[in-house]
Amino acid sequence: MSKTIPRPYPERSRRPAPASTTETGFETGFATALRLHRAGCWAQALAVYDRLLGDSRLPAAQAAHAYANRGAALRRLGRADEAVSSCIEALVRCPDMAEAYANLGAILQEADHPLAALDACRRAIALAPDLHAPYLAMAHAGQDCGDHGGALALLRRAAALAPATPSVRYNLAEALLQHGLFGEGWQAYEARWQARELALARPACAKPEWTGQDIAGRTLLVVEEQGFGDTLQFARLIPLVKARGAGRIVLHCRAPLVRLLTGIEGVDAVTAALPDPGAYDLRVPLLSLMQRLAVTPDRIPAAVPYLTPPPDAVRHWTGALPETEDLRVGLVWAGDPRLGHAAASRTDARRSLALVQLAPLLTVPGVSWVSLQKGPAAAQLDRPAIFDPMPGVTDFADTAAIVRQLDLVIGVDTAVVHLAGALGVPVWVLSRFSGCWRWLLDRDDSPWYPTLRLFRQQRPGDWALVVARVREELLRAVRLPRHDRGPARTR
């Protein structure tokens, strides 16, 4: 997106002519559009750009800037084809506009055209070497092609050019974390609150934030953030805070997690509603505990299980699964599509499968399948060979009680695989090519969960080879004697 309000080319006379009423109107319109754009009001900004471009009196230079910025707004709205067309219209009017090439590169990268994105970004950099945006898009395209080292270097360059830009620092943070550079990475990750594309909002907590100061005898409010999987993964850190002398720890999380997390070590109370400010002394976002506690990759607290289903959930679900001597395997094939959030929806499309793509697994003899799928993708479940208990599940405590009865969980990168790992249940994760930062690089195990195994895509979008490898391993697991399988819990 263009960072300055576009202005018409100056007159050639020595003394500039006074601006006309029309020109002033265009200036005001651009200022309004950019204000909306920077505030993340993409649809409203788009309407202003369209209104400006609908005026035949708009000079060509201003029209070029409007088309380039319009493309950036359309990108944020997930309308990739229109966004590309808008950037091309900008380049028709101004072939040397670096911002239009940078926007085009970002759009093409998100539309899974990394090579074309790299070309557009290189042209933007050639025209404007100090523009940070093409380095950012080029890094993402490099990650899509498997060049993680090159991507990190590009993100460092973007951060050097725009050190105060939150989206740059956040993207650099994820790359650093993926490389296992936790010290620098978690510090940069604090920029997540200002990165507009994440749409994160800090809870309205009146008390000061805990940044590592003495906490002996004080009450700390730990506030969850982001997805359910993040909460399940990082709740393991709370006992470390308690060990520093915290008198009382209150965990704030969404209702589906309350019953499960009530029994976690180090937590004195769990609530779905923010407590009154008088009930705590300090507060801290859950993922910030990594930076506050200076956790390194070789010191991740990974003893499992650190979560256990509550007794009432265990009683309710004991005996609810069909009796079998087969290998009992849970299956989850899709995440939350997040249709109202373009960036999250793109990530989900890359990590999720259709159930039909897992058909080769369902033909493995000696396996009793249990669905762990919730959400819209559960409608794909039309195979009687898969037992589906999920309509009776009310929260994660119920899911945990089911998962504890399984020999194995196979799934894409969703909260369920974090739940299985936290329960100490063997879990095989089908991971997209570009991968989530938390799974690091070039390994099929995880320092977060000792029972977790990664099956990574070898090519972007190619799940067939992953499924074939999982099928081979599943056939091997079925042939093992039961005492070597690690028998299912509460069977």
Side-chain angles (χ1 to χ4, degrees):
M1 144 181 161
S2 175
K3 297 298 183 187
T4 57
I5 299 174
R7 299 178 180 274
Y9 291 133
E11 298 289 336
R12 294 192 178 198
S13 59
R14 291 184 180 181
R15 182 175 298 174
S20 67
T21 303
T22 300
E23 289 172 331
T24 302
F26 290 148
E27 292 285 332
T28 301
F30 272 112
T32 299
L34 288 173
R35 177 176 52 79
L36 292 167
H37 203 141
R38 289 165 179 160
C41 303
W42 319 119
Q44 295 93 321
L46 178 64
V48 179
Y49 292 134
D50 284 342
R51 187 166 65 249
L52 288 166
L53 291 165
D55 192 328
S56 60
R57 297 169 297 174
L58 184 68
Q62 288 190 328
H65 281 283
Y67 272 116
N69 290 0
R70 180 177 181 271
L74 286 163
R75 169 200 168 203
R76 296 295 191 184
L77 292 169
R79 294 159 61 179
D81 290 344
E82 295 172 79
V84 168
S85 297
S86 194
C87 290
I88 290 173
E89 289 289 348
L91 291 168
V92 167
R93 289 159 177 79
C94 186
D96 294 335
M97 183 181 289
E99 293 88 347
Y101 278 116
N103 289 345
L104 186 59
I107 297 160
L108 291 169
Q109 180 272 323
E110 291 173 353
D112 294 326
H113 299 293
L115 298 180
L118 289 169
D119 181 64
C121 291
R122 290 187 186 106
R123 299 185 76 170
I125 290 169
L127 291 165
D130 293 335
L131 187 67
H132 79 270
Y135 292 98
L136 189 61
M138 198 171 180
H140 290 155
Q143 289 170 334
D144 291 343
C145 294
D147 183 10
H148 296 284
L152 179 57
L154 288 164
L155 289 166
R156 288 193 185 279
R157 174 62 176 157
L161 292 170
T165 302
S167 61
V168 173
R169 288 190 54 75
Y170 171 77
N171 282 280
L172 174 61
E174 287 205 333
L176 290 165
L177 295 174
Q178 191 171 37
H179 281 79
L181 301 172
F182 277 20
E184 186 182 358
W186 286 113
Q187 185 62 47
Y189 198 74
E190 291 297 299
R192 66 193 181 278
W193 302 107
Q194 291 79 42
R196 190 170 293 116
E197 64 270 26
L198 297 180
L200 298 180
R202 284 180 182 267
C205 300
K207 292 298 183 70
E209 187 163 319
W210 182 62
T211 57
Q213 65 268 41
D214 181 29
I215 200 173
R218 309 185 79 182
T219 297
L220 177 68
L221 174 66
V222 179
V223 184
E224 77 153 7
E225 51 176 295
Q226 303 185 56
F228 290 120
D230 294 285
T231 304
L232 295 169
Q233 179 180 2
F234 292 98
R236 72 182 73 211
L237 301 174
I238 293 176
L240 300 184
V241 183
K242 191 75 167 182
R244 291 200 173 191
R248 180 175 168 82
I249 293 181
V250 178
L251 175 61
H252 170 262
C253 63
R254 283 162 290 175
L257 288 170
V258 168
R259 194 161 57 118
L260 175 62
L261 295 180
T262 295
I264 193 170
E265 180 186 353
V267 173
D268 298 286
V270 181
T271 176
L274 281 173
D276 183 88
Y280 60 96
D281 302 304
L282 298 164
R283 46 93 183 179
V284 65
L286 178 59
L287 272 65
S288 290
L289 291 178
M290 288 293 289
Q291 188 268 335
R292 307 293 193 267
L293 297 168
V295 177
T296 58
D298 59 345
R299 295 181 60 195
I300 292 171
V304 294
Y306 61 86
L307 293 180
T308 55
D312 58 338
V314 172
R315 286 192 299 270
H316 177 80
W317 288 101
T318 296
L321 304 186
E323 286 293 328
T324 182
E325 289 300 313
D326 291 340
L327 191 73
R328 191 179 274 167
V329 182
L331 193 63
V332 57
W333 56 90
D336 181 353
R338 299 281 299 277
L339 296 178
H341 191 299
S345 183
R346 283 191 300 271
T347 298
D348 183 68
R350 292 185 178 192
R351 70 173 172 172
S352 297
L353 293 83
L355 178 58
V356 68
Q357 292 175 275
L358 296 176
L361 303 184
L362 304 180
T363 63
V364 173
V367 176
S368 177
W369 293 98
V370 177
S371 173
L372 301 173
Q373 184 65 52
K374 295 282 279 186
Q380 300 170 22
L381 191 60
D382 58 357
R383 298 171 181 265
I386 303 178
F387 178 72
D388 183 17
M390 300 309 284
V393 165
T394 60
D395 61 8
F396 276 91
D398 285 335
T399 306
I402 294 170
V403 170
R404 285 284 294 176
Q405 300 180 60
L406 303 176
D407 295 295
L408 172 67
V409 171
I410 298 175
V412 296
D413 190 358
T414 67
V416 171
V417 301
H418 289 280
L419 177 62
L423 293 169
V425 174
V427 53
W428 296 352
V429 179
L430 286 62
S431 180
R432 67 186 189 272
F433 180 77
S434 54
C436 178
W437 62 264
R438 71 196 74 218
W439 306 132
L440 304 175
L441 295 170
D442 303 322
R443 58 191 298 171
D444 59 11
D445 66 338
S446 170
W448 299 99
Y449 305 107
T451 64
L452 185 146
R453 183 175 176 187
L454 290 163
F455 292 79
R456 298 178 185 264
Q457 281 185 341
Q458 301 302 304
R459 294 186 298 270
D462 182 6
W463 288 115
L465 183 58
V466 175
V467 172
R469 288 170 50 221
V470 171
R471 187 177 192 277
E472 182 179 338
E473 292 301 309
L474 189 57
L475 284 165
R476 184 176 292 114
V478 168
R479 290 194 293 266
L480 288 174
R482 175 155 298 282
H483 62 79
D484 289 333
R485 293 179 184 172
R489 286 85 177 157
T490 59
R491 179 176 291 175

